[in-house]
């Protein structure tokens, strides 16, 4: 695919900094750079040069020229490393636009790289994931996808499915020829093998999915059970006011922290109790609202309570929210060191927000519940990938349910085709225009 116009954008964040990189991509990028700098460029060799408009120098910096096709986008690319100020950067971009380029849309450089076959869709998405990674595990996993590892696994399975389908279709095209029972058995065995490969990819993708998302943890409990103290302990900062006066916290207090590579958003809430105070009542209403977006609900009790019953939890909220995992937390074990127990079905953790005891165990429990493993073969999957993987699995399962007789080969071939399409949508070999627009519009400008 060829794109005809030349685009420009700042590749660095706006604001003041040492250097700002302005990127130009498209057929006229070299001509524009030559016109602005009055310099000639050698591919991949840094050239010092100024930009002059109407006799005024706007900026002086380093120019780099990456000729097509050996560039990020696959087109002729010019990069100008100028001074990092918002006004000077805008002036350089304006000068480039005056020479015939247009301002790039968000993600348009990466989109061109994809359209020109330099990267597949999983690699394009990994670039965006690397930029927004909030943990070192996410960085490592995004880099693996950027190297094409995830895409290669998918593509190899797609190729195998295609191979089998071609085989099956050859038999459909020549119905007069007998199919050996052995051939049918081998088809069935292959289908089973592909299903296992797919299950393996899904497992790795599931492990990686939480790395891409922030895990929402909502703290709930009666007043004075130490919710605000736990938030402060996790954030290692006095974010929420802690007093022994019940009803201190009113509004939701949210804070994002990264613990062991996982980004957690902790929400501290008002203590649940009956009250006439309208502000506190509103706070309690907000606490309940926060529960609906929770991945984990930490239900806090004062460690004075040694045995937590289901009724104690029900007094606070209905714990049967299917989307969230409820964990019971007895806080202040520095004062009441006796080990707690519960007759409810929820796991119980004893902690002290003041001494920090038990907090690591609690965090580890959250990690293992999420299935996070820092493994070298986790894929940083997006939910769109998981949906497509599961769709492909559904079609493979249907294919296998067909009795493998000559008459049913048509159905098997069709299921294989559907599975193949579902997988190809992940790498972008079979992707609608709308999906591409959606994916690239979430990128920053200049990427
Ligand atoms: N000894 C002890 N006191 C705690 C602990 N956590 C909280 N507190 C105290 O309990 C009171 C209420 O704490 P706070 O965090 O405001 O509770 P919240 O109403 O649930 O937010 C404060 O006086 C805290 O200092 C703990 O682990 N040990
Ligand atoms: Mg509080």
């Amino acid at each position: 695919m060829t794109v005809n116009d030349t685009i420009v954008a700042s590749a660095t964040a706006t604001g003041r900094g040492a250097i700002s990189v302005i990127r130009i991509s498209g057929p006229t990028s070299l001509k524009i750079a030559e016109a602005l700098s009055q310099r000639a460029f050698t591919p991949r060799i840094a050239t010092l040069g100024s930009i002059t408009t109407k006799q005024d120098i706007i900026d002086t910096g380093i120019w780099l020229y990456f000729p097509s096709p050996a560039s990020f986008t696959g087109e002729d690319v010019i990069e100008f490393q100028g001074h990092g100020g918002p006004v000077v950067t805008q002036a350089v971009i304006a000068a480039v636009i005056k020479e015939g380029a247009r301002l790039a849309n968000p993600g348009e450089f990466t989109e061109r790289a994809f359209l020109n076959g330099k990267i597949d869709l999983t690699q394009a998405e990994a670039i965006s994931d690397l930029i927004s990674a909030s943990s070192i595990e996410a960085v490592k996993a995004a880099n693996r996808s950027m190297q094409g590892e995830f895409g290669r696994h998918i593509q190899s399975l797609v190729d195998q499915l295609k191979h089998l389908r071609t085989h099956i279709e050859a038999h459909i095209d020549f119905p007069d020829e007998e199919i050996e029972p052995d051939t049918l058995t081998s088809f069935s065995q292959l289908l089973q093998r592909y299903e296992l490969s797919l299950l393996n990819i899904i497992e790795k993708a599931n492990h990686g999915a939480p790395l891409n998302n922030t895990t929402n943890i909502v703290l709930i409990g009666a007043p004075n059970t130490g919710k605000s103290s736990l938030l402060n302990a996790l954030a290692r900062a006095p974010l929420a006011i802690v007093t022994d006066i019940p009803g201190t916290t009113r509004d939701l207090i949210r804070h994002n922290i990264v613990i062991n590579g996982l980004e957690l958003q902790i929400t501290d809430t008002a203590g649940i109790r009956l009250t006439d105070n309208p502000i506190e009542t509103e706070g309690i209403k907000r606490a309940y609202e926060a529960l609906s977006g929770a991945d984990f609900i930490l239900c806090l009790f004062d460690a004075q309570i040694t045995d937590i019953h289901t009724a104690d939890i029900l007094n606070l909220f209905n714990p049967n929210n299917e989307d969230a995992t409820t964990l019971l937390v007895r806080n202040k074990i520095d004062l009441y060191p006796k080990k707690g127990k519960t007759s409810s079905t929820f796991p119980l953790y004893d902690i002290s927000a003041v001494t920090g005891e038990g907090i690591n165990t609690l965090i580890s429990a959250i990690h293992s519940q999420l299935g996070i493993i820092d493994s070298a073969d986790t894929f940083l999957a997006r939910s769109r990938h998981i949906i497509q993987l599961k769709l492909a699995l559904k079609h493979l399962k249907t294919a296998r349910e067909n009795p493998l007789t000559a008459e049913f080969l048509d159905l098997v071939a069709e299921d294989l085709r559907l599975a193949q399409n579902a997988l190809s949508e992940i790498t972008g070999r079979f992707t609608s225009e709308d999906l591409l627009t959606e994916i690239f519009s979430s990128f920053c400008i200049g990427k």
Side-chain angles (χ1 to χ4, degrees):
M1 159 136 199
T2 48
V3 187
N4 293 325
D5 57 354
T6 298
I7 52 173
V8 60
S10 168
T12 37
T14 13
R16 293 192 165 79
I19 284 172
S20 148
V21 176
I22 288 150
R23 181 145 59 179
I24 316 170
S25 179
T28 59
S29 49
L30 178 63
K31 210 175 87 224
I32 292 174
E34 285 168 348
L36 290 175
S37 66
Q38 302 296 315
R39 289 273 192 286
F41 298 105
T42 313
R44 291 174 295 279
I45 299 286
T47 307
L48 182 68
S50 299
I51 295 183
T52 308
T53 56
K54 292 191 198 139
Q55 276 111 50
D56 290 320
I57 293 180
I58 294 177
D59 200 7
T60 305
I62 300 292
W63 296 83
L64 287 165
Y65 168 44
F66 303 97
S68 167
S71 70
F72 174 62
T73 58
E75 305 171 332
D76 275 354
V77 169
I78 288 282
E79 281 187 14
F80 175 71
Q81 303 176 2
H83 291 85
V87 178
V88 55
T89 303
Q90 278 315 311
V92 173
I93 291 174
V96 175
I97 289 175
K98 206 150 178 278
E99 292 295 326
R102 76 165 162 83
L103 197 61
N105 296 321
E108 200 173 358
F109 291 92
T110 316
E111 186 176 12
R112 288 188 175 195
F114 165 70
L115 293 174
N116 290 323
K118 302 288 289 186
I119 51 175
D120 73 18
L121 208 46
T122 62
Q123 290 171 297
E125 287 168 317
I127 292 173
S128 167
D129 293 341
L130 177 63
I131 291 170
S132 51
S134 57
S135 69
I136 189 66
E137 281 75 10
V139 165
K140 288 191 241 171
N143 272 299
R144 281 194 296 272
S145 290
M146 242 165 77
Q147 300 305 315
E149 213 175 295
F150 184 38
R152 267 196 298 279
H153 273 79
I154 303 285
Q155 197 49 46
S156 131
L157 191 54
V158 169
D159 291 343
Q160 288 170 339
L161 294 183
K162 204 150 90 190
H163 190 73
L164 176 60
R165 186 159 69 91
T166 320
H167 233 78
I168 290 178
E169 279 175 356
H171 285 287
I172 298 172
D173 290 342
F174 300 100
D176 296 341
E177 285 179 25
E178 264 308 291
I179 307 178
E180 299 288 322
D182 275 3
T183 313
L184 287 175
T185 315
S186 82
F187 287 168
S188 168
Q189 283 166 346
L190 282 174
L191 279 175
Q192 192 170 3
R193 194 190 309 158
Y194 300 155
E195 200 179 310
L196 284 177
S197 305
L198 189 52
L199 280 170
N200 187 272
I201 297 178
I202 291 176
E203 196 188 325
K204 289 175 179 177
N206 272 335
H207 281 146
L211 291 175
N212 227 347
N213 300 319
T214 304
T215 301
N216 286 314
I217 299 180
V218 177
L219 310 179
I220 201 148
N224 270 358
T225 47
K227 300 175 293 299
S228 301
S229 303
L230 178 56
L231 169 76
N232 293 348
L234 291 169
R236 296 175 199 273
L239 300 175
I241 301 172
V242 168
T243 71
D244 55 5
I245 305 164
T248 303
T249 310
R250 305 284 175 83
D251 235 335
L252 301 177
I253 301 178
R254 293 204 157 102
H255 189 71
N256 282 37
I257 47 171
V258 177
I259 301 182
N260 299 344
L262 184 67
E263 183 166 32
L264 308 174
Q265 182 184 70
I266 320 278
T267 306
D268 179 24
T269 62
I272 306 292
R273 66 166 171 175
L274 281 175
T275 170
D276 292 335
N277 184 314
I279 305 175
E280 209 183 331
T281 305
E282 176 62 24
I284 294 170
K285 188 173 145 241
R286 291 182 184 199
Y288 284 128
E289 283 166 5
L291 291 179
S292 64
D295 299 305
F296 285 87
I297 298 172
L298 302 194
C299 187
L300 269 78
F301 292 91
D302 193 294
Q304 263 184 78
I305 306 179
T306 43
D307 193 0
I308 299 168
H309 300 282
T310 307
D312 300 320
I313 309 164
L314 282 170
N315 276 338
L316 296 169
F317 75 112
N318 176 5
N320 296 320
N321 172 354
E322 285 188 0
D323 299 328
T325 304
T326 300
L327 306 179
L328 308 180
V329 177
R330 271 177 76 243
N331 180 36
K332 309 189 190 180
I333 55 162
D334 51 309
L335 300 180
Y336 308 98
K338 197 167 165 238
K339 197 166 165 32
K341 55 181 182 165
T342 178
S343 53
S344 80
T345 52
F346 301 105
L348 172 65
Y349 299 89
D350 286 343
I351 67 156
S352 166
V354 166
T355 65
E357 197 183 338
I359 292 184
N360 282 346
T361 312
L362 177 63
I363 294 293
S364 305
I366 290 174
H367 272 240
S368 62
Q369 181 83 30
L370 285 169
I372 299 235
I373 41 167
D374 179 20
S375 142
D377 55 12
T378 306
F379 296 135
L380 193 62
R382 294 179 165 205
S383 48
R384 118 178 152 84
H385 301 150
I386 305 213
I387 290 170
Q388 293 304 120
L389 289 169
K390 288 190 173 159
L391 186 62
L393 183 67
K394 192 185 114 205
H395 291 307
L396 276 191
K397 278 190 169 20
T398 320
R400 231 160 47 85
E401 277 159 15
N402 292 317
L404 261 181
T405 57
E407 296 81 68
F408 286 95
L409 286 182
D410 270 349
L411 293 174
V412 175
E414 177 60 8
D415 285 325
L416 280 175
R417 192 184 64 81
L418 292 172
Q420 199 184 315
N421 287 353
L423 292 177
S424 298
E425 197 159 302
I426 297 178
T427 51
R429 295 218 177 171
F430 182 84
T431 304
S432 71
E433 194 78 15
D434 292 352
L435 178 65
L436 292 182
T437 310
E438 191 190 314
I439 289 172
F440 288 108
S441 63
S442 69
F443 277 60
C444 35
I445 290 193
K447 194 64 234 178

